[in-house]
Amino acid sequence: MKALRRIWLVGVGVVVSVMPSVAAQARPYTLFYMDGSQAAKTSFAAHAAKIDVLVPTWYTVDADGLVGGGPDEPVMQVARRNGVEVMPIVALFDMKAFHRLATNSAAQAEMNAAMVRESKAHGYSGFQFDFEHIAWTDRDLLSEMVARSADAMHKAGLKLTIATVPNAPGYVTSKDGRDGFEAWMFREWRGAYDLAALSKSADLICLMTYDQHTRWTMPGPVAGWRWTQENLEYALKVVPKEKLLLGIPLYGAHWYARAPTVTDTSETPNEGGDEISTAAVMALADEYNGGKVSWDVEDHTPYFYFYREQMREWVYFTNARAFEDRVKLAEQSGVKGICAWVLGDEDPAIWSELPEHAGASEK
């Protein structure tokens, strides 16, 4: 997204320093996620001095507690050189497999032993659980498993954190009842996270305040302003501020028409809503929209639309202005800091808003 500084904000005029820089204020605590892409590794190497905690997606666990994965040694070298804490994810995104793991104490003991072993062997500060697509009926099982795993990690002098799907207001409110979108989201995504219980065991709660609008929805902000505020306010009712991180998306979403899925007996819509990097966002803006981007005042987010093959396509994303607004929201709420997904997708201008941390080395 090298061209971001030359785009316009349609309808709001030219903005020169809307608000004081984040860097001029107290330094925010920063946790950044890293996937396996080269873009993520390059971004980390360039900006490690401004990152407190790196959470790479290096590990998975299965229903039997078998943990697979391992470190990327060049990434570890950059982290050590810059005093960055490394806390890998251990991930599981399978509803049935999670239930089997959560009801098998021996499997959990195997997983916990592996997390301790890997942390000690590679110098991690601990692990972060990224368990998603969990049935709401497994809510207590998740809380109990986190408590057992946190106990095992703490006894070894290590940390356990968890990423949670935002779930305000904590129950289903839609008039559609059991068959509406909100009910489906609660049953399969939001309802499993008892923030009060989880915060008693975990060292940090990373509130994933992103993916508000996805390929399952109409076009809209990845993390709308009021939606973000509501989920933060809900979490703060039960999670101590010093244990809570506000999630910020570094990516965008692109909605476009796709051909339907066709079988011998039916044709069904094929939802089009892909995650997209900021560099790819700006390439679309330059090619199809003259580099013009609008600012959504209500949702504190940039967006644009354009036509291709006679169909309108929508793009919402996070630029430096949207990032700064959300960092300020975290600061004003008094939470510990931010957690941002994912390195390599960001607007490069965000880094000018973040100062180096005390443990950073000279590059």
Side-chain angles (χ1 to χ4, degrees):
M1 213 220 58
K2 300 182 180 72
L4 187 59
R5 290 198 179 99
R6 62 181 170 81
I7 67 173
W8 333 337
L9 293 178
V10 178
V12 299
V14 177
V15 178
V16 180
S17 186
V18 178
M19 52 188 71
S21 168
V22 171
Q25 303 176 10
R27 186 184 180 280
Y29 178 89
T30 57
L31 181 153
F32 281 81
Y33 291 98
M34 186 183 76
D35 61 16
S37 69
Q38 187 56 50
K41 296 175 187 179
T42 300
S43 180
F44 176 60
H47 306 294
K50 299 187 174 188
I51 296 171
D52 290 303
V53 184
L54 180 71
V55 180
T57 58
W58 287 342
Y59 292 85
T60 60
V61 63
D62 68 11
D64 300 315
L66 180 63
V67 173
D72 183 317
E73 188 52 37
V75 170
M76 290 298 298
Q77 291 174 4
V78 173
R80 285 192 287 266
R81 190 162 60 245
N82 288 276
V84 179
E85 183 180 331
V86 178
M87 181 185 297
I89 276 175
V90 59
L92 179 58
F93 292 179
D94 183 297
M95 189 179 293
K96 292 181 179 178
F98 175 82
H99 183 79
R100 285 177 52 194
L101 176 63
T103 53
N104 186 335
S105 58
Q108 292 173 47
E110 180 64 32
M111 174 184 69
N112 295 339
M115 290 193 297
V116 171
R117 181 179 65 246
E118 289 295 292
S119 296
K120 297 291 188 181
H122 304 296
Y124 306 149
S125 63
F127 271 84
Q128 180 169 120
F129 279 162
D130 188 9
F131 296 156
E132 301 181 43
H133 200 196
I134 305 171
W136 75 277
T137 50
D138 282 347
R139 170 181 166 128
D140 290 344
L141 289 173
L142 173 62
S143 299
E144 292 162 4
M145 184 167 70
V146 169
R148 284 190 288 270
S149 295
D151 183 60
M153 296 292 278
H154 293 160
K155 286 179 178 177
L158 301 165
K159 299 177 184 177
L160 183 76
T161 66
I162 184 169
T164 65
V165 176
N167 56 357
Y171 52 87
V172 177
T173 62
S174 71
K175 295 179 180 179
D176 295 327
R178 295 180 58 84
D179 298 322
F181 178 79
E182 185 184 5
W184 172 74
M185 284 292 294
F186 186 84
R187 284 196 306 266
E188 300 200 10
W189 293 95
R190 297 175 180 161
Y193 303 95
D194 183 343
L195 295 180
L198 295 171
S199 66
K200 291 177 181 177
S201 306
D203 294 285
L204 286 175
I205 303 289
C206 292
L207 190 66
M208 295 187 288
T209 34
Y210 35 83
D211 280 351
Q212 178 189 11
H213 294 91
T214 67
R215 68 187 182 95
W216 301 109
T217 73
M218 299 294 287
V222 177
W225 188 249
R226 185 58 199 152
W227 178 83
T228 300
Q229 288 179 315
E230 288 173 352
N231 278 287
L232 177 59
E233 291 164 3
Y234 174 74
L236 282 171
K237 292 177 181 178
V238 293
V239 180
K241 290 182 178 181
E242 64 274 13
K243 283 194 170 188
L244 188 61
L245 301 181
L246 179 67
I248 302 179
L250 302 180
Y251 59 93
H254 173 209
W255 286 264
Y256 56 95
R258 289 174 170 167
T261 301
V262 179
T263 68
D264 292 338
T265 58
S266 67
E267 294 183 1
T268 56
N270 188 0
E271 300 89 352
D274 292 342
E275 185 174 317
I276 184 172
S277 71
T278 308
V281 164
M282 295 317 304
L284 287 173
D286 286 343
E287 182 173 359
Y288 293 102
N289 209 43
K292 293 183 287 187
V293 172
S294 298
W295 178 257
D296 187 320
V297 176
E298 182 177 350
D299 277 312
H300 295 232
T301 192
Y303 73 97
F304 61 94
Y305 64 84
F306 61 93
Y307 285 89
R308 180 163 48 180
E309 298 178 355
Q310 301 182 326
M311 300 300 295
R312 179 179 285 193
E313 302 186 18
W314 287 90
V315 178
Y316 285 81
F317 65 107
T318 302
N319 62 4
R321 180 180 177 184
F323 178 83
E324 183 178 6
D325 284 355
R326 285 153 180 79
V327 171
K328 288 183 179 296
L329 176 62
E331 292 175 333
Q332 291 164 3
S333 70
V335 299
K336 184 174 179 67
I338 64 165
C339 51
W341 177 275
V342 57
L343 285 170
D345 280 358
E346 74 274 11
D347 172 1
I350 72 167
W351 299 108
S352 66
E353 305 299 332
L354 296 175
E356 293 189 356
H357 60 74
S361 69
E362 293 292 332
K363 293 287 198 306

